[in-house]
Amino acid sequence: MSGRISSDSYVITEEQIETFHRDGLVTLYDVLTEEEVAQIAEVFDKFMNREIHVPGKDFCDMSKPFGIPFEEWSIVNCMLPTRYHPPFQNNIFERLTADIVRQLHPSMEMSKDYDQFLNKRPGKSDAVFAWHQDMGYWPNPKALGVDETATCTFSLAIDDSTEENGCLRYVPGSGLSRKLRQHAPLASSRDEGHALTIELDESKGDVEKLAPCKRGSITVHDEFVIHGSSGNKCPDRQRRTYVLAYRPKTVVDAERKLGFTHSHNDEVNWDTFNDGEERKK
């Protein structure tokens, strides 16, 4: 038996596990009920409407430099919603993903690393997530003093995610080598804008694939797969996504020891990607 089998359990198949480890991304269908998604959407919208305060750069536009007026934002990003709204902790998405991550990495003690809300506003063709690998944003293994960086990043579709409103796209198998490609800031520096970008390389076999996702379903991707998304071309449909990432407890503990919490307000500067190594000396 696979799929949702109880209130806090969703069983995945061997084929889905194999797809995740081979392609770097897998889609899981009908993980949350309509009622459960609606409850999450209610909290999500309170953040987007700024009814719940999020300080500094943890509430920003992921597609533009910092400092752009809120009315002009295209991808509204809220980091760490359960930090800023503690009653949201241990919600149904957290409980179900904690069950799924144990199936994807049964031999590891995986812990919640961070969470994030993302909203591509309607009609924002510039609501683009540039091609990247998640490891490009994070301390490298040398800085952390670890060998294993395994990551499961769950993205819940609060709205139907389609090609038209900017669904996830990825390059299957691009993370199998577990090598980080050269990234560059989209803005002139990471202080001016958080986003990074890389170029696809057809000579390496880079072929993109779309990952549309129905409301209540989720995608799961790893830390090295190349992925991004295009803008929202729908004039009347937003694309709301709830992101939740798990990593080995040793990695999470090492990140926190360096002062890295995935908050954009962290003092750790990863522009050089050597800051953590310097701190460890």
Side-chain angles (χ1 to χ4, degrees):
M1 180 180 294
S2 61
R4 185 76 176 267
I5 63 170
S6 69
S7 59
D8 291 348
S9 184
Y10 184 100
V11 175
I12 57 179
T13 66
E14 288 299 322
E15 181 180 2
Q16 289 169 327
I17 295 171
E18 180 182 343
T19 297
F20 172 76
H21 290 291
R22 180 191 66 234
D23 293 350
L25 183 145
V26 66
T27 301
L28 306 178
Y29 300 97
D30 301 320
V31 179
L32 271 70
T33 67
E34 173 58 34
E35 181 181 2
E36 290 165 345
V37 176
Q39 291 172 350
I40 286 174
E42 183 178 354
V43 176
F44 186 108
D45 290 342
K46 288 182 179 179
F47 276 97
M48 295 298 119
N49 295 332
R50 298 190 285 186
E51 295 176 46
I52 299 173
H53 176 66
V54 178
K57 295 178 180 179
D58 279 348
F59 195 72
C60 66
D61 185 330
M62 283 293 287
S63 64
K64 294 183 173 69
F66 296 120
I68 300 295
F70 178 67
E71 294 73 20
E72 299 176 18
W73 290 8
S74 296
I75 304 177
V76 184
N77 171 58
C78 170
M79 295 302 302
L80 311 176
T82 52
R83 172 190 291 185
Y84 299 120
H85 186 56
F88 195 52
Q89 294 173 8
N90 197 38
N91 62 66
I92 185 61
F93 187 47
E94 287 195 349
R95 299 198 302 274
L96 285 168
T97 52
D99 178 57
I100 296 169
V101 77
R102 286 191 290 267
Q103 300 170 62
L104 289 169
H105 287 292
S107 65
M108 298 183 192
E109 183 182 1
M110 301 291 281
S111 297
K112 174 185 170 184
D113 191 12
Y114 73 93
D115 53 358
Q116 180 180 21
F117 284 163
L118 293 165
N119 184 20
K120 290 191 175 187
R121 287 173 162 175
K124 295 290 187 177
S125 59
D126 62 345
V128 174
F129 266 110
W131 291 111
H132 68 281
Q133 297 163 289
D134 287 346
M135 278 299 297
Y137 285 95
W138 302 337
N140 60 46
K142 185 178 180 181
L144 294 175
V146 300
D147 296 320
E148 179 59 69
T149 61
T151 306
C152 293
T153 299
F154 296 83
S155 298
L156 169 67
I158 298 177
D159 304 294
D160 287 348
S161 179
T162 65
E163 182 176 6
E164 291 72 28
N165 69 355
C167 70
L168 193 68
R169 52 182 181 161
Y170 68 108
V171 179
S174 56
L176 279 175
S177 67
R178 302 187 67 78
K179 300 293 185 182
L180 182 64
R181 298 192 192 180
Q182 184 66 43
H183 288 63
L186 271 181
S188 59
S189 75
R190 298 295 298 286
D191 290 328
E192 292 189 15
H194 187 72
L196 296 169
T197 184
I198 58 177
E199 298 291 333
L200 292 193
D201 187 345
E202 292 185 1
S203 70
K204 291 184 170 67
D206 292 346
V207 178
E208 70 174 272
K209 184 177 180 179
L210 296 177
C213 198
K214 298 287 290 184
R215 177 177 166 101
S217 297
I218 67 176
T219 61
V220 194
H221 68 268
D222 69 21
E223 71 273 34
F224 282 108
V225 68
I226 296 172
H227 62 288
S229 61
S230 58
N232 186 352
K233 301 174 184 176
C234 296
D236 58 353
R237 281 203 298 127
Q238 57 191 343
R239 182 197 156 203
R240 295 172 294 176
T241 306
Y242 178 10
V243 178
L244 181 56
Y246 292 82
R247 308 189 79 191
K249 185 177 185 300
T250 54
V251 171
V252 176
D253 290 346
E255 286 179 333
R256 301 304 182 267
K257 187 176 180 180
L258 292 177
F260 184 81
T261 72
H262 293 270
S263 169
H264 295 180
N265 299 320
D266 286 344
E267 294 182 3
V268 179
N269 180 4
W270 293 106
D271 244 357
T272 64
F273 300 96
N274 293 319
D275 184 70
E277 295 172 34
E278 293 301 319
R279 286 171 180 244
K280 286 175 71 69
K281 293 179 180 178

